[in-house]
């Protein structure tokens, strides 16, 4: 009831990243099957998994990218960006940095391509990733950060950095790099997600929604309380969008339902949507 009075709604933007490919599962093993399953389940916005075989940027030529965009339009799914959850340390390690930069820049170009092919200029999808902390990073990591920012500026894409620098740094309105906020990760690292949002100086380019079950577990393991209503209120002030049926397309940062860490993602997803007042 409180959630309804405050105008909150369950987000209909979902990330593919929590669906592990499995032919025995309802969503199947192929990216197309997973996208179709999410649309059938009720998603209205989609974040692709940029690490998934068959959807990696280097695997998709021009024809394949047009096919992905066509599939999203046919299923009436708004393209809300790409998750690229590779370890932040890979950007700082000389042995892996080049490959990590290539993956990030490829995801940025793919995000820009799919945004253009979607034909929906009213939204601003983002590439979601985690960069290493600058003060602890090597010159290799600094070079990686600059290469990624340059690529985003060149292709006109947004980056949501879920690492510590973007949420602790100052605002730079001319940079495509903004902050990403995940309450589960923040709580597990000893941070209060509501306080982080309240003190955030950088633009918010991405935010995560987690189910109540996952957040209860995180609260118990971190011995910290998570105020779900305060979190959603803080996000509302930042203009997040949920792609709810009564919400028009918007360029605001998407609130993405993240199914990672779910033991039973199908049940978690359907339970979340069947109880829209539950945050």
């Amino acid at each position: 009831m409180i959630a309804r009075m405050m105008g909150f709604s369950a987000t209909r933007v979902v990330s593919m990243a929590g669906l592990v490919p499995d032919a025995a599962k309802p969503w199947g093993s192929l990216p197309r099957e997973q996208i179709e399953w999410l649309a059938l389940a009720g998603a209205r916005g989609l974040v692709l998994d940029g690490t998934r075989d068959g959807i990696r940027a280097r695997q998709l030529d021009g024809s394949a990218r047009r096919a992905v965009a066509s599939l999203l339009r046919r299923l009436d799914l708004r393209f809300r960006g790409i998750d690229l959850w590779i370890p932040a340390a890979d950007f700082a390690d000389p042995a892996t940095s080049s490959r990590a930069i290539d993956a990030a820049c490829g995801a940025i170009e793919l995000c820009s391509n799919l945004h253009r092919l979607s034909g929906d200029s009213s939204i601003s999808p983002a590439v979601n990733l985690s960069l290493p902390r600058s003060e602890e990073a090597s010159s290799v990591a600094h070079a990686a950060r600059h290469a990624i920012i340059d690529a985003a500026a060149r292709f006109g894409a947004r980056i949501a950095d879920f690492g510590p620098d973007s949420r602790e740094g100052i605002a730079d309105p001319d940079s495509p790099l903004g902050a990403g906020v995940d309450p589960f990760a923040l709580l597990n690292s000893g941070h209060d997600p509501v306080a982080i949002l309240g003190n955030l100086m950088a633009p918010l380019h991405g935010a995560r929604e987690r189910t109540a079950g996952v957040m209860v577990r995180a609260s118990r393991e971190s011995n910290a309380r998570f105020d779900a209503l305060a979190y959603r209120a803080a996000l509302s002030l930042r203009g997040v969008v949920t792609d709810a049926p009564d919400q028009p397309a918007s360029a605001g940062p998407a609130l993405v339902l993240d199914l990672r860490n779910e033991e039973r993602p199908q049940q978690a997803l359907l339970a979340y949507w069947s109880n829209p007042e539950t945050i």
Side-chain angles (χ1 to χ4, degrees):
M1 180 63 70
I2 294 175
R4 177 183 294 176
M5 290 171 62
M6 297 184 72
F8 297 153
S9 59
T11 187
R12 290 283 172 168
V13 185
V14 189
S15 170
M16 288 175 60
L19 299 178
V20 177
D22 187 341
K25 299 294 185 182
W27 54 81
S29 59
L30 301 176
R32 183 188 187 95
E33 294 173 331
Q34 292 151 16
I35 293 170
E36 291 176 336
W37 182 81
L38 284 170
L40 184 63
R44 299 187 73 245
L46 182 70
V47 176
L48 299 176
D49 182 0
T51 66
R52 184 69 51 85
D53 185 38
I55 208 74
R56 296 187 185 104
R58 68 175 183 269
Q59 296 175 314
L60 300 178
D61 59 14
S63 176
R65 295 179 185 206
R66 288 190 292 273
V68 172
S70 175
L71 175 64
L72 296 181
R73 288 196 303 272
R74 179 174 64 79
L75 297 173
D76 197 24
L77 286 171
R78 292 172 184 159
F79 172 61
R80 285 294 184 180
I82 297 174
D83 281 344
L84 193 70
W85 302 128
I86 57 179
D90 283 7
F91 292 104
D93 186 342
T96 57
S97 180
S98 179
R99 186 167 66 249
I101 292 171
D102 287 346
C105 292
I108 288 166
E109 181 183 11
L110 176 61
C111 185
S112 177
N113 289 165
L114 292 177
H115 184 206
R116 175 178 52 81
L117 290 168
S118 73
D120 192 346
S121 60
S122 63
I123 65 175
S124 296
V127 174
N128 308 294
L129 44 69
S130 292
L131 296 173
R133 184 186 288 274
S134 293
E135 63 187 37
E136 300 172 354
S138 64
S139 59
V140 175
H142 286 291
R145 176 179 288 269
H146 287 298
I148 291 168
I149 292 174
D150 288 347
R154 185 166 66 253
F155 289 107
R158 281 182 175 180
I159 307 170
D161 176 19
F162 285 74
D165 272 11
S166 291
R167 64 174 182 262
E168 295 173 4
I170 61 174
D172 182 357
D174 297 323
S175 174
L177 183 67
V181 176
D182 178 359
F184 177 81
L186 288 172
L187 212 61
N188 277 336
S189 60
H191 296 89
D192 179 359
V194 178
I196 290 290
L197 281 168
N199 296 323
L200 192 64
M201 298 293 292
L204 183 67
H205 284 179
R208 296 284 145 155
E209 175 87 306
R210 298 290 193 142
T211 65
V214 163
M215 292 311 299
V216 166
R217 189 167 75 244
S219 296
R220 184 169 57 247
E221 293 173 355
S222 63
N223 196 29
R225 179 176 176 271
F226 174 61
D227 189 334
L229 283 175
Y231 176 70
R232 288 296 294 267
L235 289 176
S236 181
L237 293 175
R238 294 274 177 174
V240 297
V241 296
T242 63
D243 285 345
D246 59 347
Q247 187 179 68
S250 168
L255 179 60
V256 181
L257 181 60
D258 195 325
L259 297 172
R260 292 176 299 164
N261 310 106
E262 294 284 357
E263 296 178 356
R264 299 179 177 179
Q266 179 186 12
Q267 290 88 334
L269 175 69
L270 298 181
Y272 172 81
W273 279 339
S274 67
N275 295 282
E277 295 183 8
T278 300
I279 299 176

